[in-house]
Amino acid sequence: MTERPDTPRPDTLGTERLILRAPQESDVDAIFEACQDAEIQRWTVVPSPYRREDAEFFVNDLAPDGRRTGDNLVWCVFERGTGALVGSQGLVRCPGRPGTAEVGWWAVKEFRGRGYTVEAAREVARYGLTELGMRRLEWVAYVGNEGSRAVAEKVGFRFEGTLRSFAEQRGEFRDSWVAGLLAIDLADRPSG
């Protein structure tokens, strides 16, 4: 089952501790600061060095264009109460593979280790598999990204292997881990 064209794509999702919403102009400074982190640059495809113009492009072009087509949904993740940016989550449809999307995330350095990324990723997975009717979600990460792998495993993704020279990062193809999540896998996981 795939999403109908008239299915609404919410700007906001929520969990007990978090608000996930579409990036806004007021988020540019926080995104710019977060993406100065060498670990985010090491394990994601954000530009390196990361400039303020990159944050502006993310907020003003990439995220709204992806939301408009429904092919690339991006959320900024905020702590309830403080409103602090704690990370980002994405859900990108896989061209040529109906009902399949890839998920991805990054976490602000100061908020790692609190379970926020797992909580947000679980909500994005729930949304993709239930509300969008996706058949399969995939997590792909460069080999060695143990933090992201731990999040994927806690959400319920099942490790499926290592793909050699698979994912591109700044013109270089890197070996990558891949895991899959079906609705049954998410249902089997405890909510905490």
Side-chain angles (χ1 to χ4, degrees):
M1 175 183 214
T2 58
E3 177 187 11
R4 297 185 347 235
D6 61 345
T7 301
R9 291 184 299 275
D11 283 343
T12 304
L13 300 174
T15 69
E16 182 180 331
R17 301 184 299 164
L18 305 170
I19 298 289
L20 292 75
R21 67 161 169 72
Q24 300 173 358
E25 185 66 34
S26 59
D27 303 325
V28 168
D29 289 338
I31 293 167
F32 171 71
E33 288 301 319
C35 290
Q36 298 308 302
D37 180 15
E39 289 300 294
I40 291 175
Q41 293 181 23
R42 177 181 180 193
W43 297 116
T44 72
V45 296
V46 302
S48 180
Y50 195 84
R51 303 164 303 153
R52 182 173 172 76
E53 296 83 39
D54 298 317
E56 291 169 346
F57 173 77
F58 177 75
V59 168
N60 297 320
D61 296 299
L62 186 125
D65 290 348
R67 192 161 295 282
R68 195 170 17 266
T69 65
D71 291 336
N72 183 3
L73 303 179
V74 177
W75 294 269
C76 284
V77 181
F78 299 90
E79 189 176 47
R80 282 191 191 267
T82 68
L85 176 70
V86 300
S88 178
Q89 295 276 327
L91 182 73
V92 181
R93 289 183 187 272
C94 297
R97 296 189 306 152
T100 304
E102 183 178 329
V103 297
W105 45 74
W106 53 256
V108 174
K109 183 178 183 177
E110 296 78 16
F111 291 96
R112 291 181 193 142
R114 298 184 190 185
Y116 287 160
T117 305
V118 172
E119 190 174 322
R122 190 174 284 129
E123 178 61 12
V124 168
R126 182 209 58 77
Y127 175 73
L129 291 168
T130 60
E131 294 186 38
L132 293 183
M134 302 303 292
R135 171 181 58 81
R136 171 184 168 82
L137 297 181
E138 293 179 345
W139 163 84
V140 177
Y142 305 125
V143 169
N145 190 345
E146 296 291 347
S148 186
R149 184 172 178 164
V151 168
E153 289 173 347
K154 288 176 184 174
V155 171
F157 281 86
R158 294 189 184 186
F159 187 74
E160 296 175 340
T162 301
L163 303 174
R164 296 180 302 152
S165 189
F166 180 73
E168 184 180 9
Q169 183 190 45
R170 299 179 204 97
E172 177 185 337
F173 283 90
R174 298 178 59 181
D175 294 352
S176 301
W177 289 325
V178 65
L181 183 76
L182 307 178
I184 189 73
D185 303 324
L186 191 62
D188 288 344
R189 303 303 291 188
S191 62

